[in-house]
Amino acid sequence: MNAGISLQPDSAVPLYYQLEQALLSQIQSGLWNPGDLIPSERELMQVAGVSRATVRQAISNLMHQGLLERIHGRGTFVAHRKIEQEMRSVYSFAEQMARQGVQLEDHLLQRHQVPASPDLAQLLAVVPGSSLIHIRRVRYVRDVPLMLDSSYIPYHLCPDLLTDDFEPPLYRMLAERYDLPPTHCTDFLEPVLADRAQAHLLAVEVGAPLMFLERVTFTRGDVPLHVARNYIPGSRSRFRVNLWSDSAEAELKGGLQTERLSFSKNGTEQDS
């Protein structure tokens, strides 16, 4: 890929900023498209005639703007538009991606029985040590890992899930195969930093920002059905939450309403 970069060393504009703008021009012009691998640091050093520190600063700035993304072990790529997850109802992530025209691929890492830890036991309303089915997978979009997912389901609710063919979406399997439809859920979100294992599976640097999403899903009778613990790179996804006013008038008319007032001749307020 020919970067076609020309900098002006005698300019008062810092070289890193000149390089940043030159790389930005490649993206905005369409010469570099989302998913394209950009030249390596060494190649950019040679083409632009600058130091490695200058190249790294320019790339870092574009990464902070969400325009470039470094995938560990593969290189730096022009970033795709972030995947958006809307949080307003019980949703299957796979089905939500399908509605956006995005194909999701699951790589199943583990499916086995584990004893319920005290915190999982509390969330799933079982006795500590009770048998849970643990499903661990990495979920990919465009061959890039988007989510590290660990799901826990009480074994006694659907023991066959441990050995049946695994055919995601998981929510559809629970509803159609085991008659355990998800009815409502509670999500908790928390920013965290990638540890070594998470960084390896998600192809990010150790310490990269992740969004940790913990979900507790319930089925009929308010029975806890499923706990999901997901880690999602902040560079690849964002969440959208729609909030509504508690005011009934705002729900009816789309905004806060004010009482209409008229004034009597003596200046006192009267309801109209």
Side-chain angles (χ1 to χ4, degrees), residues 153-167:
I153 301 107
Y155 177 80
H156 72 273
L157 292 179
C158 47
D160 290 341
L161 177 60
L162 191 62
T163 54
D164 282 350
D165 290 340
F166 187 73
E167 300 173 357

Side-chain angles (χ1 to χ4, degrees), residues 1 34 58 70-71 82 89 92 102 118 133 141 145 148 156 160 172 183 221 231 248 259 271:
M1 184 185 296
R70 181 173 290 122
I71 299 179
K82 287 187 178 184
S89 62
S92 156
V102 176
I133 298 174
V141 171
L148 174 60
H156 72 273
D160 290 341
R172 183 184 297 171
T183 57
Y231 294 89
E259 279 191 304
D271 291 341

Side-chain angles (χ1 to χ4, degrees), residues 149-212:
D149 173 281
S150 284
S151 293
Y152 300 88
I153 301 107
Y155 177 80
H156 72 273
L157 292 179
C158 47
D160 290 341
L161 177 60
L162 191 62
T163 54
D164 282 350
D165 290 340
F166 187 73
E167 300 173 357
L170 178 59
Y171 277 179
R172 183 184 297 171
M173 286 182 63
L174 292 170
E176 296 180 359
R177 194 179 294 179
Y178 308 111
D179 194 30
L180 294 168
T183 57
H184 63 284
C185 67
T186 301
D187 285 354
F188 302 90
L189 294 108
E190 179 181 353
V192 297
L193 300 178
D195 63 22
R196 189 170 299 278
Q198 294 159 354
H200 173 71
L201 290 169
L202 291 169
V204 297
E205 302 288 342
V206 174
L210 306 177
M211 181 62 75
F212 172 58

Side-chain angles (χ1 to χ4, degrees), residues 37-155:
L37 176 67
I38 74 167
S40 67
E41 288 183 357
R42 182 175 297 276
E43 290 171 327
L44 289 173
M45 289 167 59
Q46 293 172 348
V47 170
V50 295
S51 68
R52 187 180 299 273
T54 297
V55 170
R56 287 183 172 175
Q57 187 166 0
I59 289 176
S60 176
N61 290 350
L62 292 172
M63 289 176 62
H64 289 156
Q65 297 172 46
L67 297 172
L68 294 179
E69 178 182 12
R70 181 173 290 122
I71 299 179
H72 189 63
R74 294 173 58 184
T76 302
F77 295 78
V78 179
H80 286 277
R81 180 176 61 86
K82 287 187 178 184
I83 299 296
E84 184 170 281
Q85 300 184 50
E86 185 175 6
M87 305 180 71
R88 66 173 184 175
S89 62
V90 179
Y91 64 87
S92 156
F93 180 64
E95 292 175 345
Q96 188 181 74
M97 292 301 96
R99 286 195 293 271
Q100 296 183 38
V102 176
Q103 184 176 359
L104 185 70
E105 295 182 7
D106 277 359
H107 291 200
L108 187 63
L109 302 177
Q110 291 176 304
R111 181 171 47 154
H112 60 154
Q113 284 182 262
V114 296
S117 61
D119 59 325
L120 283 171
Q122 183 176 10
L123 293 172
L124 290 167
V126 297
V127 176
S130 298
S131 184
L132 305 179
I133 298 174
H134 176 211
I135 298 171
R136 192 169 186 242
R137 51 193 169 157
V138 179
R139 320 196 75 179
Y140 286 76
V141 171
R142 296 181 287 260
D143 295 323
V144 176
L146 184 67
M147 177 187 296
L148 174 60
D149 173 281
S150 284
S151 293
Y152 300 88
I153 301 107
Y155 177 80

